[in-house]
Amino acid sequence: MERRPFVVRRKWETAEGICGLELVPEDGSPLGDIEPGAHVEFILERPGLPPLVRQYSLCNAPGERDAYVFGIKKEPSSRGGSLHLHSLNEGSRLVLGATRNHFPLAADAQSHLLLAGGIGITPMLSMMQALGAQGRRYELHYFVRGSEHVAFKDRLEAARQQGLVHIHAGLDPAQTRKVLQELLDQPAAGAHAYCCGPGVFMDTVEEITAAQWPAQQVHFERFQADTRLTAQPEQAFTVVLHKRGTQCQVEPGQSIVSALAHVGCEVDTSCEQGVCGTCLTRVLEGTPDHRDAYLSKAERQSNTQILPCVSRSLSPVLVLDL
Ligand code: FES
């Protein structure tokens, strides 16, 4: 796994319950290119336990290469990732892994509609700053519980004054749905929509766009597998390892990755939450029960790939390219 030590150069409260972090490489080496929509893995060491791997979006503007900029929401119910990051101080050291981008801007889009709910603003910041710098058409709609939850106001303000950024504060779920319905009604030719935020917010956008938008023009960034999927009942099934000529049984409550490890087949993993794509494996036969937040709708429907850290099988036998 790619790992690199960083130091917290600056930490501040950018909104209620959200801290901003600027991280610089400990050895002073330069940062690589930063793509709008990209996220970075945080490898959070825990004494006596395997590290927690979490993904956070980069909020950098184009050309802002002196430090990585993140916004981290404190999630008291999380397994400790966000609480650990909130406890850091300026000068604290932490380790980052790979930078990935599953949420790129569509190069051929004629306009971009960015929809952010709460902490989902973070990837949108790098996208809107890049679109603004390139003079491309966009609108950002940012939904928050109250104005005190608006993060990175300084990065939004100029575009807000130009009418490109709209902040919707304090709407209830019905009002949020109504605004989203109006925004997503009748997509303009060549328009692409991007959505990041809490599960309910993203599900609402997914539901509205399913009726009117071509699937390839709507993009989602999820940082958690859909709990409606991961909570589904589990059946046992058999996984056949095609290249090795062997097979194993996956029991309810056991992941495919763990069953494979028992027969000596180690699959590379990182998040173990169906988010990062590290464990992506080719499916040769059978029907996966996709429970990840990584594959697109079209990729799921093709049934040719699976994230075995969380996904399972709908068919009694699943043949993998392993
Ligand atoms: Fe991240 Fe499987 S390890 S998706």
Side-chain angles (χ1 to χ4, degrees):
M1 187 190 285
E2 184 182 330
R3 287 167 186 242
R4 194 171 169 199
F6 278 72
V7 173
V8 179
R9 180 176 80 176
R10 181 176 168 232
K11 180 187 173 198
W12 73 104
E13 187 176 16
T14 176
E16 193 171 306
I18 302 177
C19 72
L21 287 179
E22 286 179 8
L23 305 183
V24 291
E26 191 177 50
D27 62 5
S29 57
L31 297 172
D33 284 341
I34 296 173
E35 287 180 31
H39 65 254
V40 180
E41 284 177 348
F42 281 56
I43 299 159
L44 306 172
E45 306 290 347
R46 301 177 298 171
L49 290 169
L52 266 185
V53 181
R54 292 289 176 265
Q55 292 76 27
Y56 292 96
S57 294
L58 287 161
C59 304
N60 290 59
E64 184 179 15
R65 300 268 293 273
D66 57 329
Y68 281 155
V69 182
F70 300 96
I72 315 284
K73 183 180 176 198
K74 194 187 260 183
E75 309 267 14
S77 60
S78 79
R79 284 198 286 151
S82 71
L83 295 182
H84 174 71
L85 294 174
H86 271 256
S87 73
L88 297 175
N89 297 309
E90 291 177 0
S92 295
R93 186 178 173 276
L94 75 168
V95 176
L96 301 188
T99 301
R100 296 196 169 90
N101 194 0
H102 307 144
F103 198 43
L105 289 165
D108 59 348
Q110 287 166 35
S111 64
H112 306 260
L113 177 61
L114 310 180
L115 303 171
I119 194 61
I121 189 64
T122 53
M124 303 300 182
L125 282 166
S126 63
M127 294 164 116
M128 60 149 294
Q129 292 171 109
L131 290 166
Q134 293 163 16
R136 296 169 75 191
R137 283 181 58 197
Y138 79 91
E139 256 185 40
L140 166 63
H141 291 263
Y142 181 15
F143 296 76
V144 285
R145 278 185 288 146
S147 52
E148 68 279 19
H149 295 283
V150 176
F152 295 99
K153 281 193 184 121
D154 51 336
R155 290 178 188 252
L156 297 168
E157 189 51 25
R160 195 187 66 79
Q161 287 183 15
Q162 292 166 38
L164 300 171
V165 170
H166 304 265
I167 295 173
H168 306 274
L171 303 188
D172 66 24
Q175 291 168 323
T176 300
R177 171 178 278 272
K178 188 164 177 286
V179 173
L180 289 170
Q181 253 158 350
E182 286 164 7
L183 291 170
L184 292 162
D185 191 35
Q186 310 277 344
H192 281 239
Y194 306 80
C195 177
C196 185
V200 177
F201 179 79
M202 297 183 69
D203 294 343
T204 305
V205 171
E206 196 165 17
E207 203 183 299
I208 296 171
T209 52
Q212 296 191 35
W213 286 67
Q216 66 277 14
Q217 286 173 228
V218 189
H219 313 273
F220 295 94
E221 176 82 323
R222 290 187 190 266
F223 284 106
Q224 263 188 326
D226 186 338
T227 47
R228 291 170 308 177
L229 299 178
T230 49
Q232 294 289 315
E234 299 184 351
Q235 309 287 337
F237 56 95
T238 301
V239 168
V240 174
L241 293 78
H242 177 73
K243 288 183 186 147
R244 289 169 169 79
T246 183
Q247 63 181 53
C248 63
Q249 179 85 353
V250 183
E251 301 296 343
Q254 182 183 35
S255 69
I256 298 179
V257 164
S258 134
L260 292 172
H262 279 103
V263 292
C265 175
E266 299 289 342
V267 175
D268 274 353
T269 58
S270 171
C271 71
E272 299 191 359
Q273 292 186 306
V275 170
C276 71
T278 305
C279 65
L280 189 68
T281 303
R282 241 164 42 94
V283 174
L284 301 177
E285 274 176 49
T287 311
D289 177 4
H290 296 291
R291 298 184 174 202
D292 61 276
Y294 178 83
L295 295 176
S296 67
K297 211 172 189 176
E299 287 168 334
R300 283 159 192 261
Q301 283 167 353
S302 76
N303 284 335
T304 54
Q305 303 175 88
I306 189 170
L307 278 310
C309 64
V310 289
S311 293
R312 304 186 61 81
S313 181
L314 292 173
S315 51
V317 178
L318 197 62
V319 183
L320 300 182
D321 190 21
L322 290 171

